[in-house]
């Protein structure tokens, strides 16, 4: 799967262009002294792993934890998000934990698999509604978007986008979930295809 196709898939799955994607086009985000400090500790990375695993669980193929998504998500936020996006992501993790305590009286890591899925499903619905509002505002009154906190992406959108992106660009995702053929390799212009075959990794 080419990176461009992956970004299109992420946008389709979340209703919003990949947050932080401008870093791929313009180069790394300039670092400030504050940004040099790690944003995430070991506990945060464990939480990110479990969130990503709930979104992309292990089935007959590896899941997000098998790919070490949590640690790589932390690196992506640290290196590819600007200060505003980083603040939104960090605040989002705190908001997710607060929602857990309000609904279940426990942290996310203490929830059952069914409770985790139910919580993230609801957050995904909330994020979809927010993203639809952002898209609607973009098409009708772009000038009002700047500085309007109600038009910031829902934090779950960032979590879902990063989970998908990191997983499918990892070695595990590319070689054990997608079909992978090393390049350069033999050219075959008539490769047989059966309905249901996995997509190709590139």
């Amino acid at each position: 799967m080419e990176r461009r196709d992956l970004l299109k898939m992420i946008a389709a799955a979340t209703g919003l262009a990949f947050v932080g994607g401008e870093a791929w086009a313009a180069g790394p985000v300039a670092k400030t002294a504050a940004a040099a400090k790690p944003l995430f500790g070991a506990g945060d990375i464990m939480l990110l792993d479990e969130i990503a695993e709930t979104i992309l669980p292990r089935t007959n193929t590896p899941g997000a934890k098998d790919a070490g998504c949590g640690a790589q998500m932390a690196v992506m936020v640290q290196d590819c998000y600007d200060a505003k996006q980083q603040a939104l992501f960090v605040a989002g993790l705190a908001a997710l934990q607060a929602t857990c305590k309000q609904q279940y009286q426990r942290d996310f890591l203490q929830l059952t698999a069914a409770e985790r899925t139910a919580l993230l499903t609801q957050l995904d619905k909330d994020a979809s509604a927010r993203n639809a509002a952002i898209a609607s505002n973009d098409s009708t009154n772009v000038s009002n978007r700047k500085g309007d906190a109600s038009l910031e992406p829902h934090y779950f959108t960032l979590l879902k986008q990063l989970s998908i992106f990191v997983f499918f660009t990892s070695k595990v995702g590319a070689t054990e979930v997608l079909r992978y053929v090393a390049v350069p390799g033999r050219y075959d212009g008539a490769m047989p295809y059966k309905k249901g075959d996995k997509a190709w990794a590139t």
Side-chain angles (χ1 to χ4, degrees):
M1 181 181 293
E2 292 190 10
R3 183 163 289 170
R4 181 181 302 168
D5 294 331
L6 176 57
L7 295 178
K8 286 179 183 176
M9 183 188 78
I10 289 170
T14 61
L16 201 67
F18 185 51
V19 177
E22 60 273 10
W24 296 109
V29 176
K31 297 297 174 204
T32 63
K37 297 192 319 187
L39 290 171
F40 304 102
D44 297 318
I45 291 172
M46 188 182 301
L47 175 59
L48 289 172
D49 254 340
E50 296 299 337
I51 292 169
E53 182 71 16
T54 305
I55 295 169
L56 295 161
R58 181 190 297 174
T59 54
N60 58 335
T61 57
K65 284 202 292 188
D66 297 306
C69 281
Q72 187 57 34
M73 288 168 73
V75 171
M76 290 280 291
V77 174
Q78 185 90 42
D79 292 350
C80 299
Y81 280 11
D82 62 28
K84 187 175 180 181
Q85 292 164 344
Q86 288 174 346
L88 178 62
F89 192 95
V90 171
L93 283 182
L96 185 145
Q97 288 285 45
T99 302
C100 284
K101 289 185 178 177
Q102 182 182 4
Q103 291 189 13
Y104 300 102
Q105 290 74 54
R106 303 192 303 283
D107 288 340
F108 187 83
L109 296 177
Q110 297 171 311
L111 301 184
T112 65
E115 288 169 339
R116 292 178 182 184
T117 299
L119 176 68
L120 296 194
T121 299
Q122 184 55 54
L123 290 177
D124 195 32
K125 289 178 182 175
D126 295 344
S128 294
R130 170 79 69 85
N131 296 341
I134 291 172
S136 173
N137 185 273
D138 273 349
S139 62
T140 57
N141 195 357
V142 179
S143 62
N144 285 341
R145 180 171 178 181
K146 213 166 196 179
D148 187 345
S150 69
L151 295 175
E152 290 178 351
H154 191 283
Y155 68 85
F156 184 73
T157 297
L158 278 65
L159 285 165
K160 185 175 179 180
Q161 287 184 340
L162 267 189
S163 298
I164 295 170
F165 183 84
V166 167
F167 180 73
F168 285 106
T169 55
S170 70
K171 182 179 179 182
V172 167
T175 62
E176 298 183 45
V177 177
L178 299 173
R179 294 185 292 173
Y180 177 77
V181 174
V183 175
R186 178 177 68 89
Y187 174 75
D188 186 348
M191 175 72 72
Y193 170 79
K194 298 191 300 295
K195 188 173 181 179
D197 279 351
K198 297 175 183 176
W200 290 100
T202 55

